[in-house]
Amino acid sequence: MMIIPEDHIEQSLEASLDHCIKCNICTAACPVSAVTDLFPGPKYVGPQAQRFRHARQPSPDESVDYCSGCRVCNEVCPTGVRIAELNARARARLVAERGIPLRNRLISRSGLVGRLGAGPHAPIANALLGSKPLRMVIERTLGIAREAPLPAFSRYTFRSWFRRRRAPQIDAGTPKRQVVYFHGCSANYYEPWIGKAVVAVLEHNGFEVLLPRQRCCGLPLLSNGDFAAARRAHEENVAFLAPYALRTIPIVGASTSCTLTLKEEAPELLGMQSDTVRAVAQQTYDIFEFLRLLHMRGELRTDFRPIERTLPYHPPCQLRAHRIGRPALDVLELVPGLRLIETHAGCCGIAGTYGLKVEKYRISMDVGAPLFETVRRSGADMALCDSETCRWQISHGAGVVARHPIEILAEAYGLVT
Amino acid sequence: MRTTIVIGAGLSGLMGALALAEAGLRPLVLAKGQGATHWTAGTVDIWGGDERSPREALQEIGALHPHHPYALIGAHAVEEAIVRFRALTEAARYPYVGGLDRNILLPTSAGALRPAALLPVTMAAGDVRLGGTMLIAGFRELRDFYPPFIAANLAAQGMAARGVYLTIPPAFRRREYNPVTFARLFDNPAFCSDIGRQLRAQRGDATRIGLPAVLGLRDPTGVVAHLQDESGAQIFEIPTLPPSVPGMRLFALFQNAIEQAGGRVQIGSEVICGDGRDRLLTTVWSEAAARRQEHRVERALLATGGVAGGGIRTDHMGMVRETALDLPVRAPANRAAWFAPRFLDPQGHAIYTAGVATDAHLRPIGTDGAVVYDNVTVAGALLAGTDTVRERSRSGVSLATGWAAGRILAEWMA
Amino acid sequence: MRTLTTDVLVIGGGATGAGALRDLSLRGIRSALVEKGDLTHGTTGRYHGLLHSGGRYVVKDPQSAEECARENEILRKIMPHCIEETGGLFVVTPADDESYAERFIAACRRTGVWVEEIPVREALRREPLLNPRIQRAFAVRDGAADSFLATHANADDARRHGAQVMTYHRVTRLERVGDRIVGALCEDLRSGETVRIHAGFIINATGAWAGKIAAMAGLRINVVPGKGTMIAMNHRIVNTVVNRCKMPSDGDIIVPIHTVAVLGTTDIPVPDPDVYDITPEEVRLILEEGECLIPGVSRMRALRAWAGVRPLYKDQDAGNDRDIPRTYKLLDHETRDGVSGMVSIVGGKWTTYRLMAEHTVNLVAQRLGVTTPCRTADLTIEPSHDGAAAAPRAPARSQFAILASPFYMLGHRLAEVEADDSYGDLICECELVTRAHLEAAIRSDGTANLDDLRRDTRLGMGPCQGGFCTYRAAAIWHELRDGATHTVGAPPATALLRHFLQERWKGVTPTLWGDQLRQERLDELNYLETLAVDRLPEATLDAIEQPRDVVIEEVV
């Protein structure tokens, strides 16, 4: 017997404002309004302002642009108001009315930037972006903060590595299990080793890893209010992925923001409700969510080597927005000797592209300060975090290496990647 | 995987989770959002509905209201919960004082006198019996605290009280303030020193000074000591409208203790349904992006709250539902009987007595009295039969039934 | 006893009374107005806020339709700041008689009511929550009107032209010398003092109460108070006035006004305009009918319900009260009853208040020998600047285009808060009432209690229904108004706090379930657990600044 109560199904994101009982829990939790006066807080610009917004009249407010989109408000809201989504749509309205600044156009196109920078010429691109005078110029002309953490381009892309490698043999006796890997821009252009670890772990567990065409998930476009471009991106990705999803082949990703976008952000914010969109969403998994599911079914290999370490683990906001708990902790608990301490320090501040912007860089560092402090105080020389931009921000702010938990898991399996 | 599930992260869920964690069951607390801790005063109200002492009320309640949650678990279980709770707060260096022998009357932000059995030590100097002149001090920028109004009402009740506004030092000024903004300011010693000096200058003949309950999130007892040193008077906190800083402290303290004992608290995961067989709950599902998340259940503690907390939901047809597991609910028959004509009716509004009925082991029962699930216990405001807000027993019932429900569940054998 | 002399005394501080006062003062006639409560306290403050296009009455009551259509254009011109140009739709739902639509269009043509059929798809694009099964849709020039703001604007303009406004003055007797009415005795409800007003002429503009006033002079007016119940939804579920295209009946219209959408109304005769209740059956009926227009509306969050009483005038025995014409009637008691010195104006609707005032004052001016013509249709009413009556103003930051509109727009207050960066000063956060708004309203003369502040500022009218702002407003009131004179017992603001909580409770109980019930329980936690207002000392009775026996009882 399973009962699906009707009022758990939202009629629309906007209608969720009716759940607000003004209790201020979101305001108390918001990491942005805690550090700046430019953002009055989620209740104000979310459910409260929404009652004053009119679908066919000009935007009456713009402080919503200072919402970082971290979704901490959604997480703590006891009544189910979709505050972050209300804000994202309000920002898209502003963008539709006033246009997108060149800077935002650029930084929201991570696929394009990655294609330009990654490859054999990466050292040159990296050297240029590492040059302080050039960053000053970029800050002045484009408005990208000169101190903001930009990742280094990789000399090779993950896809080129995957194409060239020799696929492993799968025992003829075992039934073939397939999985699609959605690597996203970061694993492809900046951190191919994470993609390699994902592939190694999946293959170690007997999966054939498929790599269909894909493009940027579109989250940076969504968070910069460019809904038209985000819709094109998602339509393409659905076209690439739906054939697999319709055959119930899982789609896994190690970038929590990409998987969240496929699952929910793109369909909901853009109002895309077709069967194929839904099928892709329902087949998409965060890598550790997928591994935890395997474990629940007794299908996860647990031939781990002990790792005697205690490490701080920051569950990124994007992962918390999946509402799936802490799958990395659940799985890594199985590794003997390994002890992960959840940081409980809210948000790292970067929020995708938010912290790159010159007018928001300081805010983003102030938001992250408690987390940096926690990481530093832990004494560990490494922190774990599932989201790439957060890892770059943690390294930048706390001065320690930040790695994806899948790298530790691959290490525990003894897989060299 | 964690198979001991606590649903709800208010006082009852947290207390239950602590009991389960200490029993080594590694509970997973799932909650839709932050709970009633963030809405309420942060005191422990055992019984303030009439002039009896909490202890008297507890001893008599079994005879007067046999279905009252206190009567179900017994006075002894309430005392046990209080002992554990006090030890928890002492260990966190945020001790609660008071006890069951009598209620302490504390000034509210409206200037009324409110009974509480236990209170954080930061509120202790508000005890009305201490006498002397009271200074009530606040900030114009804080919309939820008005010293002149508070002082006027205290004065109308025969207390010597005066209200003043303090000035926020320029370096600390913001545009938008709420209680948490101030709590963060008080976490800063430089801010405290400045306020302390202002208090000394304004003190006059006052021997104690009431401030809004925003005196820091990190080390409130340290802030109070600091302000006492600077001002030369006793300092006490007066709870404000939500968000409740004392409630946030309690939440953090519980979360820390539960995690230390092997549990986990997961906010933002709403349990929307469950499934079971043979009187055993076997699975619950929580709402998540794109699809629900499944949780296998060996034992579960349900503490989702009442109408305010979201454990009970109503509709225009007069339906009353339990939202997580769709358990049978005991509620007034129709909407016409839900409300009294006066908002402040001392009897309260009947709808707020709606909830899940249980047996003496806090297991949910149906209308026929039969247990629905053997491996589920119910705690807190979700329990049927009484309006704990009117009784001024809300936090006491939550702590006591949360602890009892956790203990019972920990001892339950499959 | 105070004594006062005036040329014309207007009784009734609703739309018509304030409109008449303005008309009189613009013609240079010395005049005064008395109202037993606050301005708009009666029916004017208790209607759904529709600026009629006339469409509703084209078939049934063409004269009323013509009047509405003309006045609609005039009001847009003279007080745009009180009007939101929402536009209106008449839609044929599957439950409606299809043949009515053709009669509707023909009647619009005849009466000069502007109408245009639009494709159903376009109607659904404008109103996404509208029933997708509607068969036809007609656009009309309906709008939304802020009747509080408009009445204050009229009264303030009259004051600027020398008129006097006395609220909380209840007429206790009309003074009659032979066949002539020469004045009135009033009780000042706040001081308890009696005030004698000598008047050359009296205008009885008390709407549903007109019969009660006339009876004081031994005259009989058959006014049938027709109770209309309305439900406000928590947010704008529509941005256009949406009517069902059929003979007007119960629950067939939704009016977007400020931040809410009002479902209504019923029409039930009540014996006394001061005593009525809202029944659960009415609430159910309104929601059920609302489902025809907005499927799912009964599961959305309803904020509160209230009722007003229509001043329907019954000439002879009409059948159903819906069949009583909605046009107004000017009763000249000299020709009608042989008693001079007073006229009564009854019936009508908010949209035609100005016309009613003009018609009335024409007669009065003629009797007084004044020949100055009416100018109310041509002179724009300046927005009030006292109180919180939010008037459009010059944009502080150019990007907020909304602030430049002469008409009210939904986003006005939000744009102002943004432009001023005054989030930190919000006292009523739901309706964006700042401390400055509130303090100005508390300081203004006529304000006697927090419920008056609500009418002036929308305090407590949003989702939390005073859950946070009642305490704040009472405490600020204490600082500004209780002053040093209060020495014994609790400060008067304490009584106002309790009074307002009770007022709000009365409004919410008819529609209390779901999210709103959850809200009320949180409000209870605030007021009982955190503030313990039930344990506050009683304020001494004569200090309570609330009028006695004028509170309309809405018993659930």
Side-chain angles (χ1 to χ4, degrees), chain A residues 10-27:
Chain A
E10 287 301 339
Q11 300 190 46
S12 76
L13 297 183
E14 276 86 359
S16 78
L17 81 87
D18 277 354
H19 298 320
C20 179
I21 55 172
K22 320 295 287 188
C23 75
N24 285 321
I25 279 180
C26 59
T27 308

Side-chain angles (χ1 to χ4, degrees), chain A residues 114-239:
Chain A
R115 275 198 299 284
L116 290 174
H121 55 283
I124 304 164
N126 292 336
L128 285 172
L129 287 179
S131 135
K132 279 190 181 159
L134 186 63
R135 287 292 296 267
M136 295 269 270
V137 173
I138 292 176
E139 178 176 294
R140 250 183 258 133
T141 53
L142 274 176
I144 297 173
R146 60 175 181 266
E147 311 97 319
L150 294 181
F153 294 106
S154 168
R155 297 183 67 157
Y156 63 95
T157 65
F158 168 76
R159 292 187 77 91
S160 67
W161 168 82
F162 190 84
R163 269 197 309 273
R164 281 199 307 268
R165 78 188 189 124
R166 252 186 39 215
Q169 297 298 312
I170 292 177
D171 295 346
T174 54
K176 195 166 84 175
R177 296 199 295 174
Q178 292 180 315
V179 62
V180 167
Y181 174 38
F182 191 89
H183 48 66
C185 301
S186 70
N188 199 29
Y189 301 117
Y190 304 106
E191 301 176 323
W193 57 89
I194 288 172
K196 289 152 101 177
V198 169
V199 170
V201 167
L202 288 170
E203 289 178 344
H204 185 69
N205 279 286
F207 284 91
E208 179 190 355
V209 177
L210 307 176
L211 204 68
R213 280 184 65 192
Q214 52 182 268
R215 54 164 297 177
C216 171
C217 68
L219 182 63
L221 296 166
L222 286 171
S223 50
N224 282 284
D226 190 349
F227 277 23
R231 177 180 295 276
R232 288 193 296 276
H234 194 60
E235 279 168 355
E236 278 192 58
N237 274 327
V238 168

Side-chain angles (χ1 to χ4, degrees), chain B residues 237-326:
Chain B
E237 291 190 301
I238 302 173
T240 68
L241 295 184
S244 160
V245 169
M248 292 172 70
R249 293 173 195 149
L250 264 189
F251 181 86
L253 177 158
F254 266 107
Q255 182 177 34
N256 193 34
I258 291 165
E259 295 196 347
Q260 290 293 323
R264 195 189 293 164
V265 180
Q266 193 170 304
I267 302 300
S269 295
E270 180 194 10
V271 171
I272 50 174
C273 55
D275 194 7
R277 61 183 135 64
D278 305 333
R279 296 211 330 194
L280 292 178
L281 182 73
T282 53
T283 316
V284 295
W285 282 268
S286 60
E287 189 275 344
R291 61 183 167 266
R292 300 162 187 178
Q293 195 196 343
E294 181 183 341
H295 307 266
R296 303 231 175 112
V297 175
E298 190 175 300
R299 54 193 99 208
L301 194 161
L302 188 64
T304 43
V307 168
I312 292 289
R313 191 155 176 94
T314 57
D315 73 10
H316 70 291
M317 301 300 287
M319 289 281 289
V320 182
R321 274 198 319 97
E322 186 276 305
T323 52
L325 304 177
D326 208 26

